[in-house]
Amino acid sequence: SYAVVISPMSDIITLKALFAIKKVLRGNKETKTHVVSAIKDSECLIRFSTEKDVMIQIDALIARTISVSYRQAGLSKVLSSILSFEGSEFYLNNNKKYAQKTFGELTLNMINAVPIGILRNKNLILIPNENEKLLEGDELLYYSENKEGIKYNQEEIKYEKTVATNRNQEISREKDKKKNILIFGYNEKLNIIYQYFGKDIEKVVIVNSDCGQIERIRETATTRGDIVTEIVAEEINKCNLNKVVRNIDHIILLNDDSIDREKSDMVNMLLYLRLLNIREDLSIHYTIITELNFNQNKELIDNKYTNDFIVSSNITSMMLAQMVEDVRIRPLFLELLSTQGVNIIIKPYEEMLNNSSDLVSNIRHQLLQAGHIFLGYITTNSGETQYIYNPQSTENIKFKKDDRLILLGE
């Protein structure tokens, strides 16, 4: 089959191109071509009768990315890596040698691939129970550098239930803790971000001195009666910036769509650097998610700080490419960018594992029993942050202080 990708441009031009392409395709009954496009205005969104054609709403996509990324430092970089086609990717395989093996056995014995789920009767089952067997006709969803050439243990390790760690109780308590969010700026994505805020959000403080935007912010706030919204309607200087960030867990910097896109990026980058200085000077801990328009502007910031940026054009392009690759895997990417179901989780290894040094196969084993898939880990060498994906099951990892695990889980 073939795919036509309509690159993001004005919504009117996108729709005209879409109608023209669909008209041509309707004239060819034998075609297996599907169309992937992106628009900005939700009123232009089209629901297609075929599952192969898809239209992405850009603002909703970026808002969902912000909503899942602000909670954990480095998550936006992990999302970008997973959405890209560099390194490991997600594949489906119907190799008959996996039939009748349990998901737990596959997790332990696939050396250079990580099982993620099962495609059964067109339904994608993510992180199935470890005792779930692959049936005839099932396809295994896995994370690997290559679709072919998957290595499997010659002497198969039997999957055995072990005593579960009680560390998940600590994670549950952390998830139940109420959080405060600080937002600078306003654009139409705020409405969607509010919809995706979890029940763990107690208070949102929004800094904005534009009278017209303040009214729209108040309207947005009424959609979530369970969240306290406070508007700081004043110009921010160094003194009141120090005050407003106290008791804040997460900070979101939104693009100002009412000004030039380059200028908007510069405003956010300067504010981002000021917030970093305050975080270090006052020894307080908050995550920062900064929305930017252009990737080249992100590259101007020191490498060690680029983990917290979301570049609209990058995320949109990568998602469009993934929508083309395999329509059967689309539900995975859409779920990863939601606040429900399976998400990417970044956790200190001490919270999840019993040992600081272990074989990857044992790490996979322990985490699967807790309902998580081990995708990789984040470490630091010589002051540089490194993201390690899909380590081989035969590798022995020695975790260092502050190393974090990259997981899939609910």
Side-chain angles (χ1 to χ4, degrees):
S1 65
Y2 299 92
V4 175
V5 179
I6 303 176
S7 298
M9 42 192 166
S10 77
D11 287 353
I12 292 175
I13 296 176
T14 296
L15 289 173
K16 284 183 175 181
L18 175 64
F19 294 148
I21 292 168
K22 295 299 288 182
K23 182 177 181 180
V24 171
L25 293 178
R26 277 196 298 271
N28 185 352
K29 302 294 184 181
E30 303 300 319
T31 184
K32 294 182 179 179
T33 302
H34 54 279
V35 183
V36 178
S37 56
I39 52 90
K40 187 173 178 65
D41 192 337
S42 61
E43 293 185 1
C44 297
L45 191 64
I46 298 174
R47 305 293 182 188
F48 295 101
S49 57
T50 169
E51 63 179 13
K52 290 187 176 182
D53 293 330
V54 64
M55 177 177 278
I56 297 171
Q57 186 192 352
I58 296 172
D59 280 1
L61 173 64
I62 303 306
R64 287 202 301 267
T65 307
I66 292 171
S67 297
V68 299
S69 298
Y70 72 82
R71 302 164 184 268
Q72 304 169 81
L75 185 52
S76 60
K77 187 173 180 67
V78 173
L79 274 170
S80 294
S81 296
I82 286 176
L83 286 173
S84 74
F85 291 93
E86 298 178 5
S88 293
E89 299 178 41
F90 295 99
Y91 298 103
L92 284 167
N93 192 312
N94 59 357
N95 195 321
K96 292 183 179 179
K97 73 177 183 180
Y98 300 144
Q100 296 305 311
K101 294 187 182 299
T102 67
F103 191 76
E105 290 169 342
L106 292 166
T107 298
L108 278 179
N109 291 286
M110 294 181 78
I111 296 174
N112 58 341
V114 183
I116 302 296
I118 298 171
L119 181 68
R120 177 176 295 160
N121 298 325
K122 296 185 178 181
N123 293 317
L124 197 58
I125 307 168
L126 298 176
I127 318 181
N129 183 279
E130 62 262 33
N131 297 317
E132 185 73 39
K133 286 187 176 182
L134 260 75
L135 307 177
E136 185 177 349
D138 285 353
E139 292 191 60
L140 181 67
L141 174 66
Y142 56 90
Y143 186 61
S144 174
E145 286 193 6
N146 301 293
K147 184 171 184 177
E148 308 298 335
I150 302 302
K151 299 176 184 176
Y152 198 86
N153 281 326
Q154 292 183 345
E155 296 183 12
E156 187 172 79
I157 305 170
K158 294 299 179 184
Y159 186 93
E160 296 179 359
K161 191 79 173 178
T162 59
V163 178
T165 175
N166 62 2
R167 295 176 186 269
N168 291 316
Q169 295 176 5
E170 301 173 25
I171 297 166
S172 296
R173 287 196 293 271
E174 177 64 22
K175 286 175 73 174
D176 290 339
K177 180 186 173 185
K178 294 292 186 179
K179 305 292 179 62
N180 296 326
I181 293 181
L182 175 62
I183 299 176
F184 288 89
Y186 171 83
N187 59 43
E188 294 299 327
K189 301 181 193 74
L190 183 65
N191 299 313
I192 304 169
I193 292 171
Y194 253 77
Q195 294 173 27
Y196 281 95
F197 277 148
K199 294 182 179 180
D200 60 330
I201 304 304
E202 182 174 50
K203 182 179 181 181
V204 176
V205 179
I206 302 178
V207 177
N208 194 303
S209 58
D210 186 301
C211 295
Q213 292 180 353
I214 287 174
E215 189 57 39
R216 291 194 289 274
I217 291 170
R218 289 198 178 102
E219 292 175 7
T220 297
T222 60
T223 64
R224 290 295 300 269
D226 56 322
I227 297 176
V228 176
T229 299
E230 176 186 333
I231 300 175
V232 178
E234 58 184 80
E235 294 290 340
I236 291 296
N237 54 43
K238 184 175 181 179
C239 293
N240 56 15
L241 186 57
N242 286 8
K243 181 180 177 181
V244 79
V245 299
R246 293 185 184 276
N247 302 316
I248 293 296
D249 300 289
H250 309 292
I251 298 178
I252 298 172
L253 310 185
L254 292 178
N255 279 333
D256 185 348
D257 291 345
S258 67
I259 62 176
D260 176 76
R261 297 172 74 195
E262 282 282 3
K263 183 178 179 181
S264 175
D265 278 6
M266 289 303 111
V267 169
N268 273 356
M269 289 166 67
L270 288 171
L271 181 54
Y272 175 79
L273 293 174
R274 289 170 65 190
L275 290 168
L276 279 181
N277 290 334
I278 292 172
R279 187 167 69 180
E280 293 173 5
D281 292 345
L282 300 182
S283 296
I284 52 181
H285 303 284
Y286 47 70
T287 64
I288 312 170
I289 286 293
T290 306
E291 182 189 7
L292 292 178
N293 290 300
F294 302 107
N295 190 61
Q296 59 265 34
N297 290 331
K298 185 194 76 170
E299 300 301 327
L300 296 174
I301 302 291
D302 192 311
N303 282 338
K304 68 179 180 178
Y305 295 133
T306 58
N307 297 345
D308 299 321
F309 286 93
I310 290 177
V311 182
S312 303
S313 56
N314 280 13
I315 295 293
T316 303
S317 298
M318 288 187 289
M319 181 58 91
L320 283 171
Q322 289 293 354
M323 294 296 100
V324 169
E325 189 69 8
D326 191 333
V327 296
R328 299 172 299 169
I329 303 178
R330 284 179 186 170
L332 168 64
F333 295 106
L334 297 175
E335 192 159 329
L336 291 181
L337 291 175
S338 74
T339 54
Q340 305 296 322
V342 172
N343 293 135
I344 297 169
I345 302 168
I346 298 176
K347 285 291 181 183
Y349 84 89
E350 301 99 328
E351 289 188 13
M352 301 294 291
L353 300 176
N354 294 324
N355 303 313
S356 61
S357 177
D358 213 339
L359 282 171
V360 170
S361 58
N362 292 334
I363 294 171
R364 289 184 187 176
H365 186 190
Q366 184 180 340
L367 291 170
L368 182 58
Q369 289 185 84
H372 296 90
I373 300 293
F374 177 55
L375 292 182
Y377 62 102
I378 305 171
T379 188
T380 304
N381 283 318
S382 302
E384 286 290 320
T385 302
Q386 296 182 334
Y387 291 73
I388 311 298
Y389 298 97
N390 188 26
Q392 296 204 358
S393 66
T394 53
E395 180 183 336
N396 191 293
I397 299 177
K398 293 182 179 180
F399 292 107
K400 297 180 293 188
K401 185 179 182 295
D402 298 328
D403 280 1
R404 293 175 292 159
L405 306 178
I406 303 172
L407 311 171
L408 282 184
E410 294 189 16

